[in-house]
């Protein structure tokens, strides 16, 4: 059985790892690296996880999945000094610990997917633009230049729901469900400073403002020492300003950050911005897998449940289980 997986984020890699012994699995990823929204960027001396910041593990399957990666030092605990702000008022400070562990990839969030994809067939820099069935009832995938990417029995898309709806044909049994999964945007502002700001915390959750999160990336384990600050806008603010001039977005987010944390961030030595069109999704009420057995098409991702690394893993893990059953029927 030949299976094509669109994407190489954590849900795609989880599917591929769990199916590689029963099928020939090929992953197609439009970016130049794996990991998807578990993203990492190195700019000079400054390092940033500009997508997912950390993750927690609630369920046993995910705990089992991360355990060997912890042993291999690909995942480590981030015992951050954590602060909560209500607008510019600091409400409380605690330190994360082993009671409720917060994990990160080492040395970057994308390290997990990099490590896991070593033995997988991943085609990077390859955008799947269209798929169609040939006369033998086999799926052909095509890139933007209409290059044929190969023949497959099954196609599983892990691209954000709306993007999956653009790739998969309208007769995909769950096409409407894909269109109904509303994902929202987010901006990531990356600031590097020659001199550390004297903050009493490493990570801050901010409510009732236009930014929702500030973290000191170099406080995570095994990062470079250079002081690197990562700021997330709220989804609401990003939705309204996604098409704004990036310089205006940077200027606004800098002002908002300075106002809330009480230190001027506009003098940063390094400034970079990333806009996530499809960053996140609110908790969903039902999380059935979208598998069209008749057409041999399927789609999954964090958006089935909630914008969390564990939810993306769970979607991929359950998807692999279902496809495995078909093979053994
Ligand atoms: C700003 C931000 C902050 C976050 N913070 C946290 C956090 O602190 N904790 C947490 O648990 N979660 C967090 N998340 C959510 C977490 O990152 C996601 O839940 C998880 O990474 C999703 O994994 P996935 O495999 O489902 O999707 P993705 O990682 O999005 O993978 C999908 C992949 O498909 C590729 N793709 C899309 N279209 C195509 C195409 N046509 N052809 C080929 N490839 C394609 C994409 O490039 C991408 O690599 C955050 C996300 C964002 C954006």
């Amino acid at each position: 059985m030949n299976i094509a997986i669109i994407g190489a984020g954590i849900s795609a890699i989880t599917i591929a790892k769990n199916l590689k012994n029963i099928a020939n699995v090929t992953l197609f990823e439009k970016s130049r690296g794996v990991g998807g929204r578990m993203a990492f960027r190195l700019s000079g001396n400054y390092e940033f996880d500009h997508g997912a910041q950390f993750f927690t593990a609630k369920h046993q399957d995910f705990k089992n999945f991360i355990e060997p990666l912890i042993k291999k030092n690909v995942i480590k605990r981030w015992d951050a000094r954590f602060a909560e702000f209500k607008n510019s008022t600091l409400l409380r400070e605690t330190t994360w610990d082993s009671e409720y562990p917060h994990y990160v990839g080492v040395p970057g969030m994308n390290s997990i997917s990099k490590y896991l994809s070593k033995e997988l067939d991943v085609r990077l820099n390859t955008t799947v633009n269209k798929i169609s069935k040939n006369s033998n009832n086999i799926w052909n995938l095509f890139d933007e230049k209409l290059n044929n990417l190969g023949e497959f029995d099954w196609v599983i898309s892990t691209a954000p729901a709306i993007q999956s709806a653009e790739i998969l044909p309208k007769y995909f049994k769950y096409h409407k469900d894909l269109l109904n999964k509303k994902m929202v945007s987010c901006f990531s502002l990356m600031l590097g400073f020659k001199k550390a700001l004297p903050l009493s915390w490493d990570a801050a959750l901010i409510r009732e403002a236009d930014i929702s999160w500030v973290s000191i990336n170099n406080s995570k384990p095994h990062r470079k020492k250079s002081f690197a600050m990562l700021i997330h806008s709220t989804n609401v603010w990003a939705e309204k300003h996604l098409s704004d001039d990036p310089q205006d977005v940077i200027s606004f987010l800098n002002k908002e950050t300075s106002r809330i944390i009480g230190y001027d961030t506009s003098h940063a030595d390094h400034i970079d911005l990333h806009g996530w069109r499809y960053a996140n999704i609110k908790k969903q009420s039902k999380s059935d897998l979208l598998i069209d057995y008749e057409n041999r098409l399927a789609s999954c991702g964090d958006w089935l449940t909630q914008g969390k690394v564990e939810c993306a893993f769970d979607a991929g893990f359950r998807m692999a289980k279902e496809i495995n059953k078909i093979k053994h029927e």
Side-chain angles (χ1 to χ4, degrees), residues 12-14 16-17 20 25 27 113 116-122:
I13 285 172
T14 303
K17 287 293 276 184
K20 79 175 173 44
V25 184
L27 295 96
S113 298
L116 293 172
S117 63
K118 270 183 202 157
E119 283 160 23
L120 299 175
D121 181 2
V122 187

Side-chain angles (χ1 to χ4, degrees), residues 1-71:
M1 181 158 70
N2 294 321
I3 301 177
I5 302 181
I6 302 172
I10 197 69
S11 52
I13 285 172
T14 303
I15 303 171
K17 287 293 276 184
N18 285 286
L19 290 181
K20 79 175 173 44
N21 293 335
I22 62 142
N24 302 312
V25 184
T26 312
L27 295 96
F28 297 96
E29 169 55 55
K30 70 177 178 186
S31 314
R32 63 197 158 114
V34 297
R37 278 172 281 153
M38 294 178 77
F40 170 81
R41 189 176 291 185
L42 171 67
S43 307
N45 261 339
Y46 301 113
E47 291 175 325
F48 302 96
D49 296 315
H50 57 294
Q53 293 300 293
F54 64 85
F55 55 90
T56 51
K58 218 166 155 186
H59 301 102
Q60 198 54 47
D61 287 334
F62 190 51
K63 286 181 183 167
N64 295 343
F65 169 76
I66 64 172
E67 195 188 89
L69 298 169
I70 295 172
K71 285 198 179 125

Side-chain angles (χ1 to χ4, degrees), residues 85-88 186-189 191 201 204-215 229-238 249-263 265 273:
F85 282 79
K86 183 176 172 190
N87 200 290
S88 57
C186 177
F187 281 109
S188 301
L189 177 65
L191 303 176
W201 42 265
L205 182 72
I206 295 137
R207 300 184 207 280
E208 298 182 26
D210 290 326
I211 60 168
S212 60
W213 174 262
V214 181
S215 70
M229 181 182 273
L230 189 281
I231 295 132
H232 281 151
S233 72
T234 60
N235 300 130
V236 172
W237 194 86
V249 174
I250 288 172
S251 169
F252 177 83
L253 294 179
N254 246 326
K255 267 194 209 134
E256 185 69 347
T257 305
S258 306
R259 185 179 73 74
I260 285 164
I261 70 171
Y263 291 96
T265 59
L273 181 75

